[in-house]
Amino acid sequence: MNYRELAEAIDRPYNTVRKWRGEITKISGNEFKRIKVRNGRGRKNRTTYDFGDLDVKCFKELDRLLKTGKNKVEAIYEVFGNKEVEELQKQNNDFDSLELKSQALRGQIKALSKRIQDQKSELDTLKTKTSDLTERIEALEKRGLKNIFNKK
């Protein structure tokens, strides 16, 4: 559906529909479908907008809101949304999820560091016990019990 057909469908002038499309794109960031149309033989193709059924419904809703006295910018935001706000909300949601993951990872790091400290203390205890046992074995070997612990 082109501009003329859209203008007839919502019962508004052609130029009004063209202006609205530009304002909608500028304010809400909503892009409409573009198609190439042949101009004629040997000439370059031109691009025009192809409006679908959903676009027609949205333009009708915009027209209805404007007729009720609503501000054009507010009506566009209500019907077509605001891409900047949606993008900002998405970034905030991404940030929040990253913050939660960061907190979870910090907790895991703390747990792992505690585990490492516990293992270090166990290792120190094992070293102490090993050195004590080594000293006891050497003391027994010096007493003459070499035949029990054949040390070569």
Side-chain angles (χ1 to χ4, degrees), residues 84-96:
E84 292 174 2
V85 170
E86 290 171 4
E87 186 66 29
L88 185 61
Q89 287 174 346
K90 183 182 176 206
Q91 289 175 354
N92 285 341
N93 289 341
D94 292 345
F95 180 75
D96 291 342

Side-chain angles (χ1 to χ4, degrees), residues 3 6-7 10 12-27 32 49 51 59 62 66 72 76:
Y3 278 121
L6 180 62
I10 63 172
R12 284 290 192 148
Y14 172 84
N15 285 333
T16 302
V17 174
R18 281 188 51 230
K19 288 177 186 175
W20 283 1
R21 195 242 1 119
E23 290 172 346
I24 290 167
T25 301
K26 185 173 149 186
I27 293 170
F32 295 98
Y49 290 94
F51 301 101
F59 272 96
L62 177 66
L66 291 175
K72 188 186 293 185
I76 289 173

Side-chain angles (χ1 to χ4, degrees), residues 31-46:
E31 295 290 331
F32 295 98
K33 182 180 174 187
R34 295 182 74 149
I35 58 171
K36 290 186 177 186
V37 179
R38 275 183 66 118
N39 272 345
R41 193 174 199 183
R43 296 187 187 141
K44 289 185 177 181
N45 294 340
R46 65 184 171 92

Side-chain angles (χ1 to χ4, degrees), residues 48-64:
T48 186
Y49 290 94
D50 184 34
F51 301 101
D53 293 335
L54 180 61
D55 296 330
V56 173
K57 289 177 186 175
C58 290
F59 272 96
K60 285 182 179 179
E61 180 65 19
L62 177 66
D63 183 42
R64 185 188 67 76

Side-chain angles (χ1 to χ4, degrees), residues 93-106:
N93 289 341
D94 292 345
F95 180 75
D96 291 342
S97 67
L98 287 175
E99 186 65 29
L100 289 174
K101 288 178 183 177
S102 171
Q103 289 175 357
L105 289 174
R106 283 187 191 121

